[in-house]
Amino acid sequence: MNVERIIMREISLRLKVPFRISSGTTFERRILLLELTDENGTTAWSECVAGEYPNYSPETIDTAWLMIREHAAPRVMGRAIEHPSDVWPLLERDFRGHKMAKAAVEMGIWELYARRQGVALAHLIGGKRSSVETGISIGIQSSPGALIEEVTARLAEGYRKIKVKVMPGSDVEFLSALRRALGPDIPLMVDANSAYTPADIDRLTALDRLGLMMIEQPLGTDDLLQHAHLQKLLTTPICLDESITGPDRVRDMLELGSGRIVNIKPGRVGGFGPSIAIHDLCLEAGIPIWCGGMLESGVGRGYNLALASLPGFTLPGDLSPSARYWERDIVTPEWTMESDGTVLLPLDRPGTGVEVDTGLVESLTSRSEVIIPG
Ligand code: OSB
Ligand code: MG
């Protein structure tokens, strides 16, 4: 296979409801899409998950745009690619960081390969499931009452896991009220996006008493050692998100005891190659995993859903249907959720199984650029 052209586009998509996490609020997503074409004219779309601001990761859509154009795309274009699993090593050699930029290119090549073979992306990577269990990630709310109302509505829709964003001041009081209102059995977890430090131990031990499924990324990205100290003090499993930038960080986590659950986001770790490596490591080590999200459009969502079909993904992912985010998604059909909180994988169709609404994308495009080999 030979990638002969990549078109980069930036589109803008307004969220139905602003999404607030400890480090900032997103109203509108600026999304970087790639359209890859091979020597036969087969095309595939992929999405870069880098955000508007460097508050989750050092990467932004603007750094990713530059790195894809100048480094990631030129490395893989105009050369024979035997198999998509060859792309991750190619992008890692003497090329540090920029995992989200690399992932957009790497994952696009998996999709392109699946489409030219006429197989489902989930099947290509060894997925075994035909549907995946879905949870929802709920942004920081204005009051405990508002949170209770929101969670009640979402449980009624069928979601299998409720993740609530927290930060100091919007945490213990909110979650205690939620537990009192909805009882000890609802599948509840929190995500701090690094909002705490070891000095917040009292808040963290208060959260520990609420019977949560896990506490996601309480401390800083680079604080694997501090997470290990914290995990020893807590009964609740720590789940790492930002800290896991690749398989090596999972090995560190295992050796140090920094956490007991891993959130895999293929965009964060550099694509499907490293995601599958992390999946295999965790399966071997008995570490439960689930697939996280980055408020993707239906394009990126298709990749996350395919990945979550691998056998190690035993916990519900942040894989909500299109209508949770957008008035109108850019794919057809849109992603929908069954009343039992599962999303069905369109395994009878090639690739992710959805098609991009190119007319809609064109109308949302604010800039585009064509990359050709050479
Ligand atoms: O930490 O998981 C996170 C969104 C943007 C940045 C970071 C995170 C999130 C989410 C949203 O939690 C999950 C989703 O896509 O629904
Ligand atoms: Mg997270």
Side-chain angles (χ1 to χ4, degrees):
M1 181 170 73
N2 215 302
V3 182
E4 297 203 329
R5 191 181 66 184
I6 297 180
I7 304 176
M8 296 199 292
R9 287 171 185 273
E10 176 176 337
I11 65 161
S12 179
L13 267 189
R14 177 162 292 276
L15 286 164
K16 273 185 178 172
V17 179
F19 188 72
R20 182 173 175 217
I21 70 174
S22 60
S23 56
T25 304
T26 305
F27 297 86
E28 185 152 335
R29 289 281 288 109
R30 288 173 59 202
I31 296 173
L32 199 175
L33 296 173
L34 301 183
E35 184 185 359
L36 302 88
T37 305
D38 72 3
E39 75 279 16
N40 304 329
T42 308
T43 64
W45 289 76
S46 70
E47 174 168 348
C48 179
V49 301
E52 297 72 37
Y53 302 100
N55 63 323
Y56 168 86
S57 125
E59 292 186 83
T60 68
I61 176 171
D62 299 300
T63 70
W65 187 281
L66 182 73
M67 295 312 282
I68 290 170
R69 187 187 65 202
E70 298 296 323
H71 301 287
R75 269 199 190 203
V76 299
M77 295 179 74
R79 62 188 292 162
I81 293 170
E82 285 299 317
H83 191 266
S85 57
D86 299 336
V87 176
W88 176 38
L90 204 57
L91 288 174
E92 280 301 307
R93 184 162 37 79
D94 303 328
F95 185 173
R96 320 284 179 230
H98 302 283
K99 302 283 174 89
M100 293 176 175
K102 290 172 179 171
V105 171
E106 198 256 13
M107 290 159 74
I109 292 175
W110 282 93
E111 173 76 349
L112 193 56
Y113 191 83
R115 284 188 180 247
R116 55 188 271 148
Q117 307 272 322
V119 299
L121 183 59
H123 284 156
L124 176 64
I125 63 172
K128 296 282 181 273
R129 263 176 254 283
S130 55
S131 69
V132 300
E133 284 186 276
T134 300
I136 186 167
S137 174
I138 295 175
I140 295 171
Q141 302 292 304
S142 55
S143 67
L147 179 62
I148 292 167
E149 199 177 306
E150 173 72 10
V151 172
T152 304
R154 298 315 188 166
L155 285 169
E157 287 175 13
Y159 286 104
R160 299 281 190 99
K161 185 184 76 180
I162 302 290
K163 159 167 142 180
V164 178
K165 294 288 187 177
V166 290
M167 63 188 285
S170 304
D171 47 8
V172 182
E173 189 199 345
F174 284 58
L175 272 294
S176 305
L178 193 55
R179 272 292 187 228
R180 275 197 303 278
L182 300 179
D185 296 327
I186 65 164
L188 190 61
M189 62 168 289
V190 295
D191 184 1
N193 292 108
S194 302
Y196 299 93
T197 73
D200 294 309
I201 187 64
D202 292 347
R203 283 183 185 282
L204 294 163
T205 50
L207 288 174
D208 195 35
R209 288 191 284 270
L210 292 172
L212 303 172
M213 296 169 76
M214 67 195 95
I215 300 176
E216 184 175 343
Q217 198 70 38
L219 308 176
T221 300
D222 297 326
D223 293 347
L224 282 172
L225 192 58
Q226 290 301 333
H227 275 111
H229 294 322
L230 179 62
Q231 182 67 90
K232 287 192 187 73
L233 300 173
L234 302 181
T235 309
T236 312
I238 290 176
C239 168
L240 294 178
D241 173 357
E242 285 91 325
S243 291
I244 304 298
T245 49
D248 288 346
R249 294 294 81 70
V250 175
R251 291 189 190 93
D252 294 347
M253 179 197 89
L254 292 171
E255 190 165 335
L256 291 166
S258 314
R260 299 188 189 136
I261 298 176
V262 171
N263 166 341
I264 300 184
K265 293 177 182 171
R268 190 194 65 230
V269 300
F272 270 14
S275 296
I276 294 165
I278 292 171
H279 165 274
D280 295 351
L281 263 171
C282 289
L283 198 57
E284 169 115 350
I287 295 284
I289 57 179
W290 53 281
C291 185
M294 291 290 289
L295 309 175
E296 288 92 346
S297 78
V299 172
R301 196 159 305 286
Y303 288 86
N304 291 348
L305 288 160
L307 184 67
S309 73
L310 292 177
F313 286 83
T314 52
L315 293 166
D318 285 345
L319 301 165
S320 307
S322 301
R324 181 262 184 277
Y325 308 93
W326 323 111
E327 288 301 341
R328 186 170 163 202
D329 204 340
I330 59 169
V331 296
T332 44
E334 294 200 353
W335 294 104
T336 55
M337 183 174 76
E338 305 302 298
S339 56
D340 67 353
T342 59
V343 175
L344 304 178
L345 294 170
L347 295 172
D348 54 343
R349 294 203 288 271
T352 57
V354 292
E355 301 306 320
V356 170
D357 182 338
T358 50
L360 179 58
V361 165
E362 189 63 43
S363 71
L364 298 170
T365 298
S366 56
R367 57 170 163 165
S368 66
E369 219 168 307
V370 181
I371 313 172
I372 51 170

